[in-house]
Amino acid sequence: MVLKPSPRGRLRVLGAALGVLTLGLALAPASAATPPNNGPEELSAQTVAAPAGDVSKSENIEHVTNLPKQAPFNTLEAFGTDIAFKQDYAYVGNYDGFVVYDIKNPKKPQIVTQVLCPGGQGDVSVSGDLLFVSTDYPRTNNTCTSEKTDAKDPNGWEGMKVFDISDPAKPRYVSAIATDCGSHTHTLVPDKAGEAVYLYISSYGPRAEFPKCQPPHDKISIIKVPLDNPAEPVIVDAPVLFPDGGNPGTPDTSATTGCHDITAFPEKDLAAGACMGDGVLLDISDREQPRVINQVRDEENFAFWHPATFNNEGTKVVFTDELGGGSAATCNEATGPTRGANGVYDIVGSGADSKLEFRNYFKIPRHQADTENCVAHNGSLIPVDGRDIMVQAWYQGGVSVWDFTDSTKPEEIGFFDRSAFDPAKLQTAGSWSAYYYNGYIYSSGIQEGLDVLDIKDKRTDPAKKVRFEEFNPQTQPVYQN
């Protein structure tokens, strides 16, 4: 997401430090139990009611269940965000921390624990017994009891936090490391020796008055976390991906001042970067020195390059345009079918000669109300051999399942869509992330909590046989039915 109000009502501002803060007295352990809803930052928060209203859906989608947000995350300010999976658990980020769900029985998911650790936007990934959580709003320090501060504060902190989740019911805060401009999103990339993981940090929004987020910021930060010593993460590099400055921007297109999101395909040594005004293809054969091998722009229709998704063969990339930053109503007739949509690109050539070639746009075919924030957002492949099928969140546009096997003719094959969260006014809500994991679709609602969907369709049924022990949507695995 881009420019939405922070959990405390101010517009998003960025600022961070470069350095390492290791485990010690400065790192207060996060609570493993649900904290009481009486902290100073929760007193004025408006409580969110359980999801209500009408639901429209395709016949091949079953709404299995919904588990509403629980205190202290049941407020309008506590946005539910991204999801990472390990075995029978889903780790769901939140602007105020994260929630651990037991999904062993997808029909009856249960909250195992909630960790109150504010900082936005709570982007998450997992590797073994480690959980990585992004902090993207300036805080007074790196603890879970920190307070908000301004990006102009030279002592402010933003970056990555590392938790031990060997006991999912009792996450333990291990370490933290600050990064320039914080961590809006991050991408987990395992090293080839299996001894460490790299985190590619995407952040943006530099300003001259932000001491820890200085322009031009045409770079990403790369953190290395030794698996046998996660208390000592290090920044190994901060490569400049856009030495020419990237897209300078237009009235309708964002300037490139960093990346918003990067999706890695480790087995192919590729990554796709959605970098505000640019879409890039990266060679990551050297994990510490990712290299841009192709760069594309769409100044007619793309306002803000957001996430990316490869197909299973690594021959296509879907880029998403988050027109309006996720807080605007853009799924309407006035906006049209090509803005706030997905762009489907084929990868032609190989190696250093690989290039992205545009094929077509895809946008949900249902117009939403002007009180519904709606635009293309986070999704993943549904693992079916021989077909390219994706499930995707569209905020209050709901969850869409669409087929891009023919890159030139993408089409929707299923959907789930609630009525407006607030019919009287535009309120940021809806599905932030929708991912397919071990037979079911899991949707993290900004206000709606966790939804579980089941798609029953001969085109997607083979995916029910595919099982993962661990799944990070921005770190794509290779699958076989």
Side-chain angles (χ1 to χ4, degrees):
M1 203 169 190
V2 190
L3 293 172
K4 57 170 165 292
S6 80
R8 310 303 163 217
R10 60 185 171 80
L11 288 179
R12 178 180 182 276
V13 290
L14 298 170
L18 183 64
V20 180
L21 295 171
T22 54
L23 181 62
L25 295 179
L27 288 176
S31 173
T34 302
N37 190 17
N38 59 3
E41 295 187 327
E42 299 296 339
L43 291 177
S44 63
Q46 181 177 345
T47 301
V48 179
D54 297 329
V55 167
S56 61
K57 64 182 186 64
S58 55
E59 292 185 358
N60 59 355
I61 298 285
E62 175 190 350
H63 187 203
V64 176
T65 192
N66 170 264
L67 185 55
K69 294 196 298 185
Q70 306 294 314
F73 297 152
N74 61 335
T75 68
L76 289 176
E77 293 81 7
F79 290 180
T81 62
D82 218 352
I83 316 175
F85 301 88
K86 181 188 175 184
Q87 297 173 340
D88 294 328
Y89 296 93
Y91 297 83
V92 180
N94 189 284
Y95 269 53
D96 282 349
F98 62 90
V99 184
V100 183
Y101 292 89
D102 183 333
I103 56 171
K104 185 175 184 179
N105 181 354
K107 297 180 179 180
K108 295 182 179 180
Q110 298 179 345
I111 293 177
V112 176
T113 191
Q114 302 187 121
V115 176
L116 186 64
C117 196
Q121 36 178 47
D123 199 39
V124 291
S125 64
V126 297
S127 180
D129 289 335
L130 300 177
L131 173 71
F132 305 98
V133 183
S134 288
T135 299
D136 194 36
Y137 289 91
R139 308 294 296 182
T140 52
N141 56 55
N142 67 327
T143 70
C144 287
T145 55
S146 65
E147 298 179 356
K148 65 180 181 179
T149 188
D150 192 272
K152 297 178 183 178
D153 181 358
N155 298 313
W157 187 91
E158 300 172 88
M160 289 297 307
K161 296 185 176 85
V162 183
F163 290 81
D164 183 316
I165 53 169
S166 52
D167 182 349
K170 297 179 180 179
R172 182 174 61 87
Y173 193 167
V174 175
S175 62
I177 183 167
T179 55
D180 284 350
C181 298
S183 175
H184 190 66
T185 65
H186 70 270
T187 303
L188 187 147
V189 184
D191 76 348
K192 296 184 177 182
E195 297 175 351
V197 295
Y198 293 96
L199 303 174
Y200 291 178
I201 308 302
S202 295
S203 58
Y204 56 93
R207 295 185 190 176
E209 62 267 32
F210 295 169
K212 298 176 181 178
C213 186
Q214 289 288 294
H217 194 71
D218 296 317
K219 63 183 182 179
I220 62 173
S221 298
I222 301 177
I223 297 171
K224 184 176 183 179
V225 184
L227 295 178
D228 61 355
N229 189 15
E232 295 190 6
V234 295
I235 293 180
V236 295
D237 201 2
V240 174
L241 300 184
F242 303 98
D244 64 348
N247 193 333
T250 69
D252 298 318
T253 303
S254 297
T256 297
T257 58
C259 289
H260 180 280
D261 218 320
I262 296 172
T263 295
F265 204 157
E267 292 195 42
K268 303 289 186 180
D269 283 336
L270 289 174
C275 301
M276 305 180 70
D278 294 279
V280 297
L281 191 64
L282 299 163
D283 179 333
I284 59 168
S285 53
D286 183 338
R287 303 291 196 244
E288 296 187 6
Q289 295 184 338
R291 182 172 57 88
V292 174
I293 55 178
N294 194 225
Q295 182 175 350
V296 291
R297 293 175 185 170
D298 182 348
E299 295 182 349
E300 180 178 354
N301 286 303
F302 262 46
F304 192 95
W305 293 70
H306 195 269
T309 303
F310 289 93
N311 68 340
N312 192 49
E313 288 73 30
T315 58
K316 302 177 186 177
V317 180
V318 174
F319 285 103
T320 291
D321 174 26
E322 196 187 33
L323 174 69
S327 58
T330 70
C331 298
N332 50 28
E333 185 176 4
T335 305
T338 59
R339 303 187 70 234
N342 296 309
V344 183
Y345 287 77
D346 284 351
I347 300 175
V348 298
S350 60
D353 296 324
S354 296
K355 295 186 182 302
L356 294 162
E357 290 193 357
F358 175 76
R359 293 293 182 253
N360 207 343
Y361 298 103
F362 170 78
K363 190 172 183 178
I364 56 173
R366 297 169 303 287
H367 288 157
Q368 304 293 308
D370 289 339
T371 57
E372 293 179 283
N373 59 302
C374 176
V375 74
H377 209 233
N378 295 351
S380 72
L381 293 181
I382 295 181
V384 179
D385 281 347
R387 300 191 73 93
D388 300 324
I389 300 176
M390 184 174 174
V391 59
Q392 187 174 17
W394 288 76
Y395 294 110
Q396 288 199 68
V399 175
S400 175
V401 178
W402 60 288
D403 188 324
F404 61 102
T405 305
D406 183 342
S407 303
T408 66
K409 296 180 180 179
E411 62 174 348
E412 184 173 73
I413 63 173
F415 72 93
F416 172 83
D417 184 10
R418 282 194 175 91
S419 58
F421 180 77
D422 187 341
K425 64 179 180 180
L426 180 61
Q427 170 67 53
T428 302
S431 179
W432 177 292
S433 301
Y435 301 130
Y436 191 91
Y437 178 71
N438 292 353
Y440 291 86
I441 294 168
Y442 295 87
S443 169
S444 169
I446 294 171
Q447 309 294 358
E448 297 83 356
L450 184 71
D451 279 303
V452 183
L453 309 175
D454 187 7
I455 181 166
K456 299 177 179 179
D457 189 295
K458 64 181 181 180
R459 291 164 290 190
T460 60
D461 286 345
K464 294 183 180 295
K465 302 175 184 178
V466 178
R467 289 292 182 269
F468 295 107
E469 287 291 303
E470 191 174 283
F471 184 68
N472 297 299
Q474 283 74 46
T475 310
Q476 284 193 224
V478 173
Y479 61 78
Q480 291 182 337
N481 293 119

